[in-house]
Amino acid sequence: MSDPRTTPSIFTRGAVDLSTLRPPAPAKPAAPSRPAPSDGAPATGTPGAAPGAVPGVTPDTVIEVTEANFQSVLERSLTTPILLDFWADWCEPCKQLSPVLEKLAGEYAGSWILGKVDVDSNPRLAQVFRVQGIPMVTAVIGGQPVEGFTGVLSEAQIRQYIDAVLKAAGVSVETPADPRLDAADDALMTGDLDAAEAAYKKILAESPADAAAESGLAQVELYRRISGADPATALAKADAAPDDIEAQRLAADIEVLSGQAEQAYARLVALVKRTSGDERDAVRKHLLSLFSVAGPDDPAVAGARRALASALF
């Protein structure tokens, strides 16, 4: 995802004048079911949820933002990114989005703060941030608003947005484990290739650039290709017939699974040099599929890519 500070956003229609939010007159007491917050007080979770119902939510992860405490929220954004969730009791989509935001706030353990803004109780905040529909989420970094989104997004898309905000703020954190990926990996490890394939494809449908899911799907395909093969026999056949494309591809698959990825890459690069036309293209695509198994950051893949480029051109 691109840096939120350099992409078009709702704020391109003009500067957001946050200075208009001077401390207002004391707010009138709220109804007993929604106690008036103290300065930066923790929110009580999704509308209708009991306090503390969201695992990981603490006063340092989720706060209720009001016109009265907004200046202190801006000050907190100087050191910690704030995500503002504009919502209302009557908004059904808000009830879908808010629990996901609260869950992620707990998972990220204070690397960013979720600020919940009730637009009905805080109309000036809604006006200043030009809220035209809810739910709406925007971030505040260093006292300044940046790109946000309106409507309900998938959890994967929200994670991408949060990671982009953290990157823009210069915050380095370990990305929380993705339970969808854990489930897919578990299916792969237990040999349920159909379930693993479906799970990885679902992740990629929601997050097309997810390298871990791409690698997982490539592993599923790899396991299917070697199903029923005897490694020793396959490798011997490849050694005896260096120009047998199917034998060389199977041997490369076995070498990757045996921890000899560099040898597998070299085998197929050499085959690319000896082939042409459709055969060469088939070998090239097979090699690229093996690169996907390792992932883009593997140094052996980087070297093999350069060798492949030299063989092709």
Side-chain angles (χ1 to χ4, degrees), residues 107-124:
E107 285 186 12
Y108 279 79
S111 57
W112 57 276
I113 297 169
L114 175 62
K116 299 180 66 62
V117 185
D118 183 337
V119 295
D120 290 337
S121 300
N122 302 278
R124 290 207 303 163

Side-chain angles (χ1 to χ4, degrees), residues 59-214:
D60 291 327
T61 58
V62 180
I63 61 175
E64 187 169 347
V65 178
T66 68
E67 294 167 5
N69 71 7
F70 186 69
Q71 185 58 43
S72 69
V73 172
L74 284 182
E75 291 171 0
R76 292 185 73 170
S77 77
L78 297 177
T79 55
T80 306
I82 309 286
L83 263 67
L84 297 177
D85 172 22
F86 292 88
W87 65 280
D89 275 332
W90 46 264
C91 170
E92 290 302 320
C94 297
K95 297 174 184 178
Q96 299 175 40
L97 180 66
S98 289
V100 178
L101 292 171
E102 291 166 12
K103 169 194 169 187
L104 294 177
E107 285 186 12
Y108 279 79
S111 57
W112 57 276
I113 297 169
L114 175 62
K116 299 180 66 62
V117 185
D118 183 337
V119 295
D120 290 337
S121 300
N122 302 278
R124 290 207 303 163
L125 282 178
Q127 180 180 12
V128 165
F129 281 89
R130 300 172 189 168
V131 176
Q132 297 181 355
I134 56 174
M136 187 186 100
V137 173
T138 191
V140 182
I141 302 174
Q144 296 296 320
V146 298
E147 177 189 7
F149 63 87
T150 300
V152 179
L153 299 183
S154 69
E155 182 176 323
Q157 291 172 311
I158 297 171
R159 286 179 185 273
Q160 289 179 336
Y161 173 72
I162 291 170
D163 290 343
V165 168
L166 293 177
K167 181 179 179 181
V171 177
S172 178
V173 296
E174 182 177 347
T175 303
D178 186 339
R180 302 170 308 157
L181 193 58
D182 288 342
D185 289 345
D186 287 344
L188 179 63
M189 292 300 100
T190 58
D192 191 344
L193 299 184
D194 290 341
E197 179 183 31
Y200 288 129
K201 285 184 175 179
K202 186 175 186 297
I203 294 172
L204 290 170
E206 298 173 349
S207 310
D210 192 308
E214 286 182 359

